[in-house]
Amino acid sequence: MLQQHTLDQLRGLRLDGMIAALNDTALQASAEALPFEQRLALLVQRELDWRDGKRVVRLLKAAKLKVSGACVEDIDWRAGRGLDRHLVTALTEGDWIRHGRNVLITGATGCGKTWLGCALAQQAARQGFTVLYTRSTRLLQELQVAHGDGSFGRRLAQLARLDLLVLDDLAIAPIAAQERQDLL
Protein backbone atom coordinates (compact mmCIF):
# COMPACT_ATOMS: atom_id res chain seq x y z
CA MET A 1 0.00 0.00 0.00
CA LEU A 2 2.71 2.47 0.98
CA GLN A 3 4.73 1.49 -2.09
CA GLN A 4 1.78 2.21 -4.45
CA HIS A 5 1.07 5.51 -2.69
CA THR A 6 4.72 6.51 -3.08
CA LEU A 7 4.67 5.56 -6.77
CA ASP A 8 1.51 7.63 -7.27
CA GLN A 9 3.17 10.61 -5.61
CA LEU A 10 6.28 10.22 -7.79
CA ARG A 11 4.02 10.00 -10.84
CA GLY A 12 2.28 13.19 -9.70
CA LEU A 13 5.68 14.87 -9.46
CA ARG A 14 6.57 13.51 -12.92
CA LEU A 15 9.59 11.62 -11.61
CA ASP A 16 9.29 8.80 -14.13
CA GLY A 17 12.99 7.90 -13.93
CA MET A 18 12.68 7.21 -10.23
CA ILE A 19 9.54 5.15 -10.83
CA ALA A 20 11.42 3.06 -13.39
CA ALA A 21 14.31 2.63 -10.96
CA LEU A 22 11.99 1.55 -8.15
CA ASN A 23 10.27 -0.94 -10.46
CA ASP A 24 13.62 -2.35 -11.64
CA THR A 25 13.96 -5.50 -9.54
CA ALA A 26 17.62 -6.00 -10.49
CA LEU A 27 18.40 -2.51 -9.22
CA GLN A 28 16.40 -3.04 -6.04
CA ALA A 29 18.25 -6.22 -5.19
CA SER A 30 21.68 -4.64 -5.60
CA ALA A 31 20.67 -1.41 -3.86
CA GLU A 32 19.30 -3.01 -0.70
CA ALA A 33 22.78 -3.35 0.79
CA LEU A 34 23.58 0.33 0.19
CA PRO A 35 23.16 3.06 2.81
CA PHE A 36 20.19 5.40 2.40
CA GLU A 37 22.26 8.27 0.96
CA GLN A 38 23.73 6.07 -1.76
CA ARG A 39 20.32 4.60 -2.63
CA LEU A 40 18.88 8.09 -2.87
CA ALA A 41 21.80 9.21 -5.04
CA LEU A 42 21.16 6.21 -7.29
CA LEU A 43 17.49 7.14 -7.66
CA VAL A 44 18.34 10.77 -8.41
CA GLN A 45 20.91 9.68 -11.01
CA ARG A 46 18.34 7.42 -12.68
CA GLU A 47 15.92 10.36 -12.82
CA LEU A 48 18.57 12.59 -14.38
CA ASP A 49 19.44 9.89 -16.93
CA TRP A 50 15.74 9.43 -17.74
CA ARG A 51 15.23 13.15 -18.30
CA ASP A 52 18.37 13.43 -20.38
CA GLY A 53 17.19 10.55 -22.56
CA LYS A 54 13.76 12.13 -23.02
CA ARG A 55 15.39 15.46 -23.91
CA VAL A 56 17.58 13.85 -26.56
CA VAL A 57 14.58 12.04 -28.04
CA ARG A 58 12.65 15.33 -28.15
CA LEU A 59 15.56 17.20 -29.75
CA LEU A 60 16.08 14.49 -32.38
CA LYS A 61 12.37 14.44 -33.22
CA ALA A 62 12.34 18.22 -33.63
CA ALA A 63 15.49 18.06 -35.79
CA LYS A 64 13.63 16.20 -38.55
CA LEU A 65 16.84 14.59 -39.79
CA LYS A 66 16.66 13.05 -43.26
CA VAL A 67 18.89 10.17 -42.13
CA SER A 68 17.82 9.65 -38.53
CA GLY A 69 20.08 6.62 -38.13
CA ALA A 70 23.26 8.51 -39.02
CA CYS A 71 25.67 8.77 -36.11
CA VAL A 72 29.31 9.70 -35.81
CA GLU A 73 30.18 6.29 -34.41
CA ASP A 74 29.29 4.73 -37.79
CA ILE A 75 31.41 7.01 -40.01
CA ASP A 76 33.14 5.14 -42.83
CA TRP A 77 36.79 6.20 -42.59
CA ARG A 78 38.02 4.55 -45.80
CA ALA A 79 40.83 6.53 -47.41
CA GLY A 80 38.88 7.03 -50.64
CA ARG A 81 36.35 9.22 -48.88
CA GLY A 82 38.98 11.80 -47.96
CA LEU A 83 37.69 12.46 -44.46
CA ASP A 84 40.10 14.00 -41.99
CA ARG A 85 39.59 12.01 -38.79
CA HIS A 86 40.98 14.78 -36.56
CA LEU A 87 38.73 17.42 -38.13
CA VAL A 88 35.58 15.31 -37.88
CA THR A 89 36.45 14.37 -34.29
CA ALA A 90 36.87 18.06 -33.47
CA LEU A 91 33.50 18.80 -35.08
CA THR A 92 31.81 16.14 -32.93
CA GLU A 93 32.85 18.02 -29.80
CA GLY A 94 30.51 20.88 -30.74
CA ASP A 95 32.80 23.85 -30.04
CA TRP A 96 32.11 25.20 -33.52
CA ILE A 97 28.41 25.43 -32.60
CA ARG A 98 29.14 27.11 -29.26
CA HIS A 99 31.28 29.71 -31.06
CA GLY A 100 28.70 30.34 -33.81
CA ARG A 101 30.85 28.97 -36.62
CA ASN A 102 29.62 27.43 -39.86
CA VAL A 103 30.60 24.16 -41.48
CA LEU A 104 30.32 23.59 -45.21
CA ILE A 105 30.47 19.99 -46.38
CA THR A 106 31.36 19.67 -50.06
CA GLY A 107 31.95 16.73 -52.35
CA ALA A 108 30.70 14.79 -55.32
CA THR A 109 27.14 13.55 -55.60
CA GLY A 110 26.59 10.43 -53.56
CA CYS A 111 29.70 10.71 -51.39
CA GLY A 112 27.73 11.00 -48.14
CA LYS A 113 27.46 14.74 -47.44
CA THR A 114 23.86 14.48 -46.25
CA TRP A 115 24.66 11.46 -44.09
CA LEU A 116 27.65 13.21 -42.50
CA GLY A 117 25.62 16.37 -41.90
CA CYS A 118 22.88 14.31 -40.22
CA ALA A 119 25.48 12.45 -38.12
CA LEU A 120 26.96 15.75 -36.90
CA ALA A 121 23.44 17.08 -36.25
CA GLN A 122 22.54 13.99 -34.23
CA GLN A 123 25.72 14.38 -32.20
CA ALA A 124 24.83 18.02 -31.56
CA ALA A 125 21.34 17.01 -30.37
CA ARG A 126 22.88 14.44 -28.03
CA GLN A 127 24.94 17.28 -26.56
CA GLY A 128 21.77 19.31 -25.94
CA PHE A 129 21.83 21.64 -28.95
CA THR A 130 18.62 22.45 -30.78
CA VAL A 131 18.85 21.30 -34.39
CA LEU A 132 16.80 21.51 -37.57
CA TYR A 133 17.54 19.76 -40.85
CA THR A 134 15.96 21.08 -44.04
CA ARG A 135 16.67 21.21 -47.71
CA SER A 136 17.63 24.74 -48.70
CA THR A 137 15.00 24.90 -51.47
CA ARG A 138 12.28 24.05 -48.95
CA LEU A 139 13.50 26.67 -46.49
CA LEU A 140 13.63 29.32 -49.21
CA GLN A 141 10.08 28.42 -50.27
CA GLU A 142 8.89 28.67 -46.65
CA LEU A 143 10.51 32.08 -46.32
CA GLN A 144 8.90 33.25 -49.57
CA VAL A 145 5.49 32.20 -48.27
CA ALA A 146 6.29 33.89 -44.94
CA HIS A 147 6.93 37.14 -46.80
CA GLY A 148 3.49 36.84 -48.35
CA ASP A 149 1.52 36.06 -45.21
CA GLY A 150 3.40 38.43 -42.92
CA SER A 151 5.03 35.80 -40.74
CA PHE A 152 8.58 36.34 -42.02
CA GLY A 153 9.86 38.00 -38.85
CA ARG A 154 8.39 35.29 -36.66
CA ARG A 155 9.92 32.54 -38.83
CA LEU A 156 13.34 34.22 -38.70
CA ALA A 157 13.04 34.46 -34.93
CA GLN A 158 12.28 30.71 -34.78
CA LEU A 159 15.32 29.96 -36.92
CA ALA A 160 17.50 32.29 -34.83
CA ARG A 161 16.66 30.31 -31.68
CA LEU A 162 18.17 27.17 -33.20
CA ASP A 163 21.70 26.24 -32.24
CA LEU A 164 22.29 24.35 -35.50
CA LEU A 165 20.55 24.67 -38.87
CA VAL A 166 21.53 22.01 -41.40
CA LEU A 167 20.86 23.23 -44.93
CA ASP A 168 21.11 20.39 -47.43
CA ASP A 169 21.59 20.81 -51.18
CA LEU A 170 22.51 24.47 -50.86
CA ALA A 171 22.85 26.28 -54.20
CA ILE A 172 22.23 23.28 -56.46
CA ALA A 173 19.94 25.62 -58.38
CA PRO A 174 20.29 29.35 -59.00
CA ILE A 175 19.22 31.47 -56.04
CA ALA A 176 17.19 34.63 -56.68
CA ALA A 177 18.21 37.96 -55.20
CA GLN A 178 15.42 37.91 -52.56
CA GLU A 179 16.39 34.37 -51.56
CA ARG A 180 20.03 35.39 -51.15
CA GLN A 181 18.91 38.27 -48.96
CA ASP A 182 16.77 35.91 -46.89
CA LEU A 183 19.73 33.59 -46.33
CA LEU A 184 21.81 36.48 -45.10
Side-chain angles (χ1 to χ4, degrees), residues 15-61:
L15 297 173
D16 296 323
M18 285 188 182
I19 293 170
L22 287 172
N23 289 329
D24 186 355
T25 55
L27 180 66
Q28 284 181 349
S30 62
E32 285 181 11
L34 296 175
F36 173 77
E37 292 82 12
Q38 289 180 346
R39 291 173 74 179
L40 180 61
L42 187 63
L43 286 174
V44 170
Q45 186 60 51
R46 284 288 294 263
E47 179 64 31
L48 290 172
D49 293 344
W50 177 274
R51 289 182 183 210
D52 189 47
K54 296 290 279 183
R55 180 180 51 82
V56 169
V57 167
R58 180 182 46 78
L59 289 171
L60 287 172
K61 183 178 179 183

Side-chain angles (χ1 to χ4, degrees), residues 1 11 27 36 100 128 153 156:
M1 178 74 178
R11 200 169 287 110
L27 180 66
F36 173 77
L156 281 185

Side-chain angles (χ1 to χ4, degrees), residues 72-79 81 83 115:
V72 294
E73 293 83 7
D74 294 338
I75 292 177
D76 182 1
W77 296 105
R78 283 182 279 159
R81 297 199 61 211
L83 292 175
W115 190 95

